[in-house]
Amino acid sequence: MVGERRHPRIAEIYSKLEKLVNDLKDLGYEPRTEHDLHDVGDDVKEELLRHHSEKLAFTFALMCLCSGVPIRIMKNLRICGDCHSFMKIASKFTGREIIVRDVTRFHHFRNGCCSCRDFW
């Protein structure tokens, strides 16, 4: 869940996510703060975007699943543009296939591309 704090390994998940975000920034990932509609500064928006549920789920999957195994994430909302960009770059960086099922469709991320061709 977005902003999760009760998971027994949440400190480890946030630590790994922080490192992952920094690694992806080196590859060109820039948080797309226009996708956060809160009336706060860009630095706060970036922090809020970082804690979206699919990023937390992806990070936890990286920690728990064997390498090479596809990562599957299900959402009951539409994936935001920032998380979509994140998953594209993360798929290339980690070499993982990432499948995100949102309320509208399946997104298959492989080698930095999505099956929706960025039309979601």
Side-chain angles (χ1 to χ4, degrees), residues 65-108:
L65 296 175
C66 299
S67 63
V69 175
I71 295 174
R72 292 174 177 84
I73 300 168
M74 292 188 68
K75 292 183 50 72
N76 62 349
L77 300 170
R78 186 172 171 230
I79 188 170
C80 79
D82 178 66
C83 289
H84 195 269
S85 297
F86 177 91
M87 293 298 171
K88 284 178 17 181
I89 295 172
S91 70
K92 187 172 189 169
F93 178 72
T94 62
R96 295 283 189 117
E97 176 183 7
I98 306 165
I99 304 157
V100 178
R101 170 65 170 124
D102 71 11
V103 71
T104 312
R105 64 181 44 91
F106 284 91
H107 296 267
H108 295 261

Side-chain angles (χ1 to χ4, degrees), residues 13-63:
I13 294 167
Y14 277 119
S15 177
K16 184 162 180 72
L17 178 57
E18 187 73 30
K19 182 180 179 340
L20 180 62
V21 167
N22 289 333
D23 289 343
L24 296 182
K25 282 183 176 180
D26 291 341
L27 295 175
Y29 168 68
E30 282 298 322
R32 297 178 60 190
T33 56
E34 69 272 13
H35 292 283
D36 186 283
L37 303 178
H38 293 92
D39 188 19
V40 294
D42 280 350
D43 55 333
V44 175
K45 286 183 178 191
E46 186 175 327
E47 187 69 21
L48 292 169
L49 288 170
R50 182 172 293 157
H51 299 156
H52 277 187
S53 59
E54 52 268 60
K55 290 176 186 164
L56 294 171
F58 174 73
T59 304
F60 185 64
L62 283 178
M63 293 166 46

